[in-house]
């Protein structure tokens, strides 16, 4: 295991947390018919975007 494995794993956990939040918000919005859950969906999608961006930031320029 290299020293770079831990930070990259953290960003992927951020992606998974965002996905779970978005799915929970979608399910809650469907079941309750309330529009306030869409903020949780938007926050989950934003969290996923940030997680993927920070995860792939290390691989720019062809460095792997």
């Amino acid at each position: 295991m290299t020293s770079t494995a831990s930070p990259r794993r953290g960003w992927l956990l951020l992606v998974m947390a965002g996905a779970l939040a978005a799915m929970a918000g979608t399910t809650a919005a469907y079941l309750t018919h309330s529009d306030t859950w869409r903020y949780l969906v938007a926050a989950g999608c934003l969290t996923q975007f940030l997680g993927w961006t920070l995860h792939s930031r290390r691989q720019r320029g062809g460095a792997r």
Side-chain angles (χ1 to χ4, degrees):
M1 186 172 269
T2 64
S3 62
T4 60
S6 180
R8 293 183 67 192
R9 187 179 313 140
W11 299 133
L12 290 178
L13 288 175
L14 188 66
V15 170
M16 290 304 298
L20 289 174
M23 289 182 357
T26 302
T27 303
Y30 177 74
L31 293 176
T32 63
H33 302 289
S34 175
D35 289 336
T36 56
W37 290 105
R38 64 183 167 178
Y39 298 113
L40 180 61
V41 175
C45 292
L46 178 65
T47 304
Q48 284 185 60
F49 173 75
L50 291 175
W52 281 120
T53 302
L54 293 171
H55 174 71
S56 65
R57 178 179 59 174
R58 298 180 59 107
Q59 295 184 356
R60 288 195 182 140
R64 291 194 182 237

